[in-house]
Amino acid sequence: MKRLLAGFALSFVAGFASANNPAPHTTEQWQQTVDNARGQTVYFNAWGGSQEINDYLRWADRQLQSQYGVSLKHVKVADIAETAQRLLAEKAAGKDQNGSVDLVWINGENFRSMKENNLLYGPFTQTLPNWSLVDKSLPVNEDFTEPTNGLEAPWGVGQLVFIHDTLTLNNPPQNFAELLSLAKAYPDKVSYPQPPEFHGSSFLKAALLELTTDKTALYQPLDPKTEHAKFERVTAPLWQYLDQLHPVAWQQGKQFPSGSSEMIQLLDDRQLLLAITFNPNAANAAIANGNLAKSAQTYAFQQGALSNIHFLAIPWNASAKEGAQVAINFLMSPQAQQRKADAEIWGDPSVLKPDALATSNSQGFTLFKSIPEPHPSWLTALEIEWQKRYGS
């Protein structure tokens, strides 16, 4: 009996593992996916706030059409949470087929929300041929502490860093306390994007990680309905900090940049001393595209850079599931990752093993010391509290 139970347990574990870690496709199975994808149009919901990224996706569309007969249509969104809400509405309406979205660019809270509401197709990542080339030393199986379970494929590496012009600020602040001192010494020259824009929200998280006395709490789930006292205790140093920063910030903290692109423009116009970006190669890319002076430089605070992987996922009701898988596999290919890492194209660090790429001197691999993202439940609570205190 014990042997039978043990056998049942092993079978159950094996079955569970199989469901979450599907066996890689055979060459014949993947060819069938490629054949079925031909002629499909993949509607890709992705942030549209960067000209460089938009240009890159137009290149990817041309490559996919040429190599696989698949069209990639970039549906530009300001916040992927809009897409998550639309998919939730389709779920509620019982639209389980022929959905409006085939591919989404997500991570963090949006992934957790879609996963919890069963809005994602998969697991599928290990069936992609290029999955074998992914650098598994990166946190590609976890998204803001949430297991990915093969429901999203890694696309690139993000790090929250700062850009300064060495000619106008040759000794930039190394932590948030020094940033506040700089803002007081040079009023109207420091700012950050307005949350919930993700650069702004990430600024809040990075500041809180340095300022709070209970960093461990940030990596545990937070129930804002029952743990308000805990939230107030952990986040109090952040609000005290912002109360001091805003009166001396750009526009006296009554107005904020719309995002990283505007901050880089304001830095180039010398209205700001620092810009914030989630791309450690953003300064190189901006210089290459003529948007910043050659004296601009990216750096991270002493505590390190808030870091995460950004992912690609397929909604459960996608019309072009095969086309989406082919598109993701291409975007994970050495050809596409090499081009994406080029600072003159985008400068987004690759998720592939260095030896998987065509050249070993690819730009985009100089990563800073990383700080893992807090549990996503903290993000929503932070954004709501920020709006309550400082939103118009």
Side-chain angles (χ1 to χ4, degrees):
M1 185 63 181
K2 286 183 178 178
R3 181 177 297 174
L4 179 63
L5 288 174
F8 174 78
L10 286 172
S11 297
F12 176 80
V13 170
F16 181 81
S18 177
N20 288 282
N21 300 290
H25 269 192
T26 63
T27 301
E28 292 76 16
Q29 287 171 323
W30 179 249
Q31 187 58 50
Q32 186 63 54
T33 300
V34 172
D35 290 344
N36 291 342
R38 186 167 294 278
Q40 291 185 348
T41 297
V42 176
Y43 289 91
F44 181 20
N45 279 230
W47 182 59
S50 164
Q51 188 59 48
E52 290 78 15
I53 297 174
N54 297 344
D55 290 343
Y56 176 79
L57 291 178
R58 278 192 285 273
W59 169 83
D61 172 44
R62 293 193 296 274
Q63 294 299 315
L64 281 162
Q65 289 194 48
S66 171
Q67 297 182 35
Y68 300 101
V70 172
S71 296
L72 186 71
K73 298 295 184 187
H74 183 189
V75 180
K76 298 173 185 172
V77 296
D79 188 338
I80 208 68
E82 302 165 10
T83 301
Q85 287 300 315
R86 179 146 44 91
L87 290 170
L88 198 58
E90 290 182 5
K91 187 83 169 184
K95 191 176 179 60
D96 293 329
Q97 295 181 338
N98 302 318
S100 62
V101 182
D102 298 301
L103 183 59
V104 288
W105 182 15
I106 58 172
N107 68 358
E109 173 59 21
N110 290 313
F111 170 67
R112 188 178 73 119
S113 172
M114 289 191 199
K115 181 183 176 186
E116 287 183 349
N117 287 290
N118 298 315
L119 300 180
L120 296 174
Y121 167 76
F124 71 92
T125 55
Q126 294 188 41
T127 67
L128 304 176
N130 286 329
W131 172 256
S132 64
L133 304 179
V134 170
D135 184 353
K136 307 302 191 305
S137 68
L138 296 170
V140 295
N141 291 311
E142 190 175 81
D143 187 350
F144 285 55
T145 75
E146 184 76 26
T148 59
N149 292 349
L151 297 172
E152 55 179 5
W155 190 22
V157 183
Q159 291 199 306
L160 187 72
V161 292
F162 297 85
I163 304 174
H164 69 109
D165 188 326
T166 54
L167 294 181
T168 55
L169 184 66
N170 61 7
N171 187 25
Q174 299 299 314
N175 51 52
F176 282 92
E178 291 185 8
L179 179 67
L180 180 58
S181 297
L182 179 73
K184 289 179 176 177
Y186 297 94
D188 209 32
K189 293 290 188 181
V190 170
S191 190
Y192 60 94
Q194 179 168 347
E197 196 279 338
F198 72 93
H199 293 92
S201 298
S202 298
F203 176 87
L204 298 184
K205 289 184 287 185
L208 181 57
L209 280 165
E210 179 181 303
L211 298 169
T212 186
T213 57
D214 189 1
K215 191 182 300 185
T216 303
L218 298 174
Y219 293 98
Q220 304 298 323
L222 173 76
D223 184 345
K225 294 179 181 176
T226 61
E227 297 183 295
H228 186 65
K230 175 182 176 183
F231 177 78
E232 284 191 333
R233 174 179 58 78
V234 173
T235 62
L238 173 65
W239 312 124
Q240 292 166 7
Y241 179 87
L242 295 181
D243 286 346
Q244 295 181 69
L245 176 64
H246 287 180
V248 292
W250 182 71
Q251 303 291 335
Q252 293 77 52
K254 297 174 181 173
Q255 184 178 339
F256 298 84
S258 59
S260 180
S261 296
E262 186 178 359
M263 288 202 83
I264 290 174
Q265 180 62 55
L266 291 169
L267 174 67
D268 193 49
D269 292 343
R270 299 193 173 183
Q271 292 191 51
L272 292 179
L273 290 171
L274 290 168
I276 295 170
T277 175
F278 226 98
N279 183 342
N281 287 309
N284 290 334
I287 292 169
N289 289 291
N291 295 325
L292 278 179
K294 292 182 179 178
S295 48
Q297 193 171 73
T298 304
Y299 80 107
F301 278 0
Q302 287 173 338
Q303 70 168 350
L306 191 69
S307 303
N308 62 55
I309 303 292
H310 54 87
F311 295 87
L312 300 168
I314 304 169
W316 93 103
N317 64 347
S319 299
K321 289 188 177 69
E322 294 89 353
Q325 291 174 72
V326 169
I328 292 173
N329 192 61
F330 171 75
L331 292 170
M332 290 168 60
S333 69
Q335 178 192 9
Q337 289 278 309
Q338 183 82 43
R339 184 178 179 86
K340 184 166 68 68
D342 188 335
E344 294 189 5
I345 304 296
W346 177 353
D348 188 47
S350 172
V351 294
L352 300 188
K353 302 168 189 170
D355 59 5
L357 295 163
T359 61
S360 60
N361 63 345
S362 169
Q363 297 173 79
F365 292 101
T366 306
L367 298 178
F368 296 95
K369 173 187 171 186
S370 68
I371 305 171
E373 289 273 3
H375 189 274
S377 55
W378 286 87
L379 174 61
T380 304
L382 281 172
E383 290 173 342
I384 291 173
E385 186 65 20
W386 190 94
Q387 288 295 335
K388 188 189 303 179
R389 290 171 178 263
Y390 311 115
S392 56

